[in-house]
Amino acid sequence: MKLYDATTPNTLRVQVFLAEKGIEVPQEAVDVMGGGTRTPEFLEMNSLGELPVLQLDDGRILTESVAICRYFEELYPRPRLMGESAYEQGLIEMWNRRMELHIFGPLGDAARHTFAFFADRVEQNPDYAAAQMRAFDRAWAWLDRELADGRPFIAGNSLTIADITGMAALFVCDLMNKTLPEELKRTKRWEKEIRCRPSLAKRMPDAA
């Protein structure tokens, strides 16, 4: 088994997921900036030219960060990061999708329409990027209101994949020099607690 990864938001999700479970998997770093995801060999594994990629011992391939996390959740069920009961699994999936669609997604779109690296992959639109950043700000304010019930993590009383998706959003925030407003007291409390976790701290952009 081998995990192909790099310092990207989606590979961060898998790396943190594995770290929280205490799983060690052989990894091979891919030089994204040097075109490592666009070689014929890599495109054989993932025709989209994206990371992460998990290659199983028999040669089968899994891509997409959440799909890879689900695979490891079934192999190593403790601690549960995707839920125990049917309801809990549904609730965590709900919150993970919310974090993807309303927070991680707009920020990622803004980055794709801003960073020079994506210029040959996306027809960049600065106005769209600005609109996505405004949507991102509104989403954090919405999340702050949702956390008014006092729960310590996004989906309840323990860390789940929904928080890990939030970590990926914080990773992009750092890359874009974006900070969360101080008046969002509940999300700032969550951010402070999340950033202190060893699974994340050493993987942030300024951790060198």
Side-chain angles (χ1 to χ4, degrees):
M1 184 183 296
K2 182 188 294 184
L3 179 66
Y4 293 86
D5 65 4
T7 306
T8 69
N10 277 309
T11 57
L12 176 81
R13 291 209 269 184
V14 176
Q15 291 168 351
V16 171
F17 193 91
L18 294 176
E20 289 287 340
K21 282 184 170 287
I23 303 169
E24 293 187 4
V25 175
Q27 300 181 15
E28 182 172 321
V30 179
D31 182 7
V32 176
M33 301 302 291
T37 58
R38 303 184 190 186
T39 65
E41 294 79 13
F42 187 87
L43 292 172
E44 274 293 313
M45 294 190 295
N46 186 354
S47 59
L48 290 174
E50 297 174 348
L51 290 166
V53 170
L54 179 68
Q55 185 177 48
L56 305 185
D57 290 338
D58 62 7
R60 288 181 297 172
I61 296 292
L62 283 175
T63 69
E64 307 301 334
S65 56
V66 176
I68 293 171
C69 289
R70 185 165 294 282
Y71 175 77
F72 283 111
E73 178 88 342
E74 292 304 312
L75 286 183
Y76 303 92
R78 294 291 180 272
R80 298 294 290 186
L81 299 178
M82 291 181 151
E84 194 79 54
S85 67
Y87 174 75
E88 192 176 52
Q89 290 181 34
L91 181 69
I92 292 169
E93 179 68 16
M94 178 188 85
W95 274 106
N96 189 49
R97 287 293 289 160
R98 286 179 163 188
M99 295 297 287
E100 284 186 326
L101 293 173
H102 300 292
I103 291 180
F104 186 38
L107 189 61
D109 279 348
R112 279 187 288 274
H113 284 264
T114 302
F115 293 160
F117 174 77
F118 295 106
D120 65 343
R121 295 191 173 197
V122 176
E123 186 177 338
Q124 292 183 320
N125 185 328
D127 291 337
Y128 177 72
Q132 291 300 94
M133 291 303 293
R134 291 192 294 272
F136 174 75
D137 289 338
R138 291 192 297 271
W140 276 116
W142 158 78
L143 182 62
D144 195 73
R145 294 191 296 271
E146 286 288 323
L147 294 176
D149 61 4
R151 65 184 188 268
F153 295 98
I154 297 298
N157 292 322
S158 61
L159 182 131
T160 69
I161 193 169
D163 299 284
I164 294 173
T165 297
M167 292 179 187
L170 293 177
F171 180 91
V172 182
C173 282
D174 287 358
L175 294 177
M176 300 183 74
N177 295 315
K178 174 74 174 178
T179 58
L180 304 187
E182 291 296 330
E183 62 266 24
L184 301 181
K185 301 297 186 184
R186 291 176 283 266
T187 50
K188 291 295 287 186
R189 177 209 53 77
W190 170 84
E191 178 189 14
K192 181 178 179 180
E193 183 165 340
I194 286 297
R195 284 185 181 273
C196 289
R197 296 186 78 90
S199 62
L200 176 67
K202 67 180 181 180
R203 293 176 172 86
M204 296 304 277
D206 60 351

